[in-house]
Amino acid sequence: MSAALIVLAAGQGSRMLSDRPKVLHEIGNAPMLAHALGTADALAPERTVVVVGHGGEAVADALTAIAPEADVVWQKEQLGTGHAVLQARAALDKFDGDAFVLFGDTPFITAETLARMDTARKDGADLVVLGFESDDPARYGRLVTDGDALLKIVEWKDATETERAIRLCNSGLMCMPAKMLFELLERVDTGNAAGEVYLTDVAGLAVARGLTAKVVLCAEAETQGINTRADLAAAEAAFQTQSRVRALEAGVTLVAPDTVHFSLDTHLGRDSHVEPYVVFGPGVTVESGATIRAFSHLEGAHVSNGAVVGPYARLRPGAELAEGVRVGNFVEVKNAQVAEGAKINHLSYVGDASIGRATNIGAGTITCNYDGVMKHRTEIGARVFIGSNTMLVAPITVGDDAMTATGTVVTRDVPATAMAIGRAPQENKQGLATRLFERLRAIKKKK
């Protein structure tokens, strides 16, 4: 049975006190909307429709990277969640399958939970609603049941005292045949306390028609929504905790787990070793057996087996480290490919470059890649020795087995096996140091 996603992302999120749409606020360096859509990929949806409203242009722009296949539809007026779902009707006009209604600000629903909802549909339930037991139901909508059958969903503000005593709460997520969902929503009565089209009324209408409705349960933590900055901070903490647990369970060594920070797409291979206070920005893959030493920051980088990074290293987007590479303290690598066994051990910047196999980059080396307007590349061959404090003024090529002398400013290509020396001749002025200090002290004394 094919599936379509209807993801509600139209809310203003006024309690966030932000000009940014709520669903674009980030958890693990990725918009919370990306979390919701990424989990739902487990359903292999045939169609994805994202309903936008406040800040919809920004959400649509973000979707080009998050889910370029998604259709974007607008909810011009905020008339309730049911009204938001109805905006997807035209986009799914010819779709003949199940619709899963999800929320862009509920990032912790798991793929396993969605799979259980899908199974319940395939087992014969016409409507499946996701619920959870809560010790403090507060203002959640309540699920009114008879045994395992769902009778109706009651919003807290419309509930009786008896209904408010129910601890089985509504998450807001549901699935049912798309055509049936839209048909029932057209029949929803807006004579409620808010005068809105309640998505939750679909349950009562379905039961009245003789359809079967079932509740699938999940942990309350999965249903955590984000409404305030405090919620966002709590969600970030929860995400980091989950990521650390998954890494440890996958065979990664985290010396001090609480100090390591992950992104949504961080991938760490088995037997990789991560020291304290490491930050993984977006787009990082660390292969098995690599070591990331303390206080390093990685983003958009690939680290191969046996490589060692840090301490105090920074890998920026496009950094590709092959097997056995060493990148040491206070080294920055950006948009550079470093071949097997190469070493950049101290206090260097390597950007827009390629470094050959077994090459050694001396301390204080800089690839001067930017002329103020454009970036230029530095190509360094295999088994090259770059002397300390070398400035490589790109575009430049250094051939295999070549060398640069310490303190050299390289402005011309260096042929293979050659040694480049580009520094001013040293002159020693006898007694000049003494005379200079005497002059300076005399000037200071007069002040």
Side-chain angles (χ1 to χ4, degrees):
M1 189 180 299
S2 57
L5 309 179
I6 302 175
V7 184
L8 306 188
Q12 183 174 357
S14 57
R15 286 189 284 166
M16 295 291 289
L17 301 177
S18 175
D19 294 328
R20 183 190 302 181
K22 181 169 67 169
V23 296
L24 297 187
H25 283 268
E26 294 185 345
I27 301 168
N29 293 306
M32 63 178 84
L33 179 60
H35 290 252
L37 289 170
T39 298
D41 280 344
L43 295 170
E46 182 179 314
R47 299 286 304 279
T48 298
V49 182
V50 180
V51 183
V52 303
H54 174 75
E57 294 87 354
V59 176
D61 286 346
L63 282 168
T64 61
I66 297 171
E69 76 286 355
D71 294 311
V72 176
V73 299
W74 286 79
Q75 185 187 23
K76 298 293 186 181
E77 297 180 89
Q78 304 294 303
L79 301 176
T81 50
H83 178 259
V85 172
L86 278 170
Q87 307 316 300
R89 186 171 196 170
L92 296 177
D93 181 53
K94 296 181 180 179
F95 177 74
D96 188 19
D98 285 347
F100 283 76
V101 179
L102 310 175
F103 292 83
D105 62 352
T106 307
F108 292 123
I109 300 296
T110 65
E112 293 75 16
T113 291
L114 294 178
R116 287 190 291 110
M117 293 178 68
D118 188 43
T119 298
R121 264 288 297 133
K122 291 174 179 174
D123 286 345
D126 297 301
L127 168 65
V128 179
V129 172
L130 182 64
F132 61 94
E133 294 274 0
S134 177
D135 292 330
D136 183 19
R139 300 177 71 88
Y140 289 117
R142 304 303 201 265
L143 301 181
V144 182
T145 59
D146 181 9
D148 60 356
L150 175 65
L151 302 180
K152 63 178 179 176
I153 306 172
V154 183
E155 296 288 354
W156 182 88
K157 53 194 168 188
D158 296 314
T160 65
E161 289 303 316
T162 300
E163 289 168 339
R164 290 180 181 180
I166 296 172
R167 293 176 49 242
L168 182 59
C169 300
N170 178 36
S171 72
L173 276 69
M174 64 172 59
C175 68
M176 72 184 309
K179 294 184 183 301
M180 185 183 299
L181 173 62
F182 294 129
E183 181 184 345
L184 292 176
L185 281 171
E186 289 287 1
R187 299 176 178 273
V188 169
D189 181 4
T190 58
N192 50 59
E196 296 180 345
V197 181
Y198 286 167
L199 176 62
T200 50
D201 283 354
V202 164
L205 291 172
V207 171
R209 183 177 288 194
L211 303 175
T212 58
K214 182 176 180 179
V215 177
V216 168
L217 294 178
C218 71
E220 183 175 0
E222 285 190 44
T223 69
Q224 179 181 352
I226 315 299
N227 295 303
T228 66
R229 300 282 183 164
D231 291 342
L232 187 66
E236 180 70 32
F239 168 80
Q240 294 299 336
T241 297
Q242 293 173 8
S243 298
R244 293 160 187 155
V245 169
R246 284 194 293 267
L248 293 167
E249 290 176 345
V252 176
T253 294
L254 303 178
V255 175
D258 288 350
T259 69
V260 178
H261 288 262
F262 291 79
S263 291
L264 177 61
D265 60 354
T266 302
H267 175 78
L268 304 181
R270 181 176 178 177
D271 286 327
S272 55
H273 185 100
V274 182
E275 293 184 359
Y277 298 102
V278 170
V279 175
F280 294 107
V284 174
T285 297
V286 177
E287 293 187 11
S288 299
T291 298
I292 311 299
R293 301 189 66 188
F295 295 98
S296 295
H297 188 288
L298 293 74
E299 179 179 354
H302 179 269
V303 181
S304 295
N305 184 284
V308 178
V309 176
Y312 294 98
R314 184 182 182 196
L315 301 186
R316 291 172 57 195
E320 292 275 348
L321 309 188
E323 294 184 2
V325 165
R326 298 291 188 271
V327 170
N329 49 289
F330 302 103
V331 171
E332 180 178 341
V333 180
K334 187 271 293 184
N335 190 29
Q337 297 74 51
V338 186
E340 294 89 342
K343 298 177 181 179
I344 317 169
N345 275 329
H346 320 281
L347 302 158
S348 296
Y349 170 71
V350 175
D352 298 297
S354 65
I355 310 297
R357 184 186 183 97
T359 283
N360 186 88
I361 306 295
T365 295
I366 295 176
T367 58
C368 307
N369 57 333
Y370 184 48
D371 63 11
V373 177
M374 294 180 291
K375 298 291 183 69
H376 303 279
R377 286 192 65 81
T378 297
E379 306 287 345
I380 300 176
R383 300 171 303 281
V384 172
F385 185 89
I386 301 295
S388 297
N389 203 36
T390 295
M391 304 291 111
L392 297 152
V393 183
I396 204 79
T397 297
V398 180
D400 293 348
D401 301 297
M403 177 184 288
T404 68
T406 297
T408 292
V409 178
V410 181
T411 58
R412 291 181 294 146
D413 289 350
V414 182
T417 74
M419 179 176 183
I421 305 174
R423 57 194 180 198
Q426 179 176 321
E427 292 186 53
N428 296 330
K429 304 287 187 178
Q430 191 64 39
L432 181 58
T434 300
R435 295 195 299 272
L436 178 60
F437 276 115
E438 287 174 350
R439 181 185 173 197
L440 293 174
R441 292 186 184 107
I443 292 171
K444 183 177 180 181
K445 189 174 182 180
K446 290 178 181 179
K447 290 184 178 181

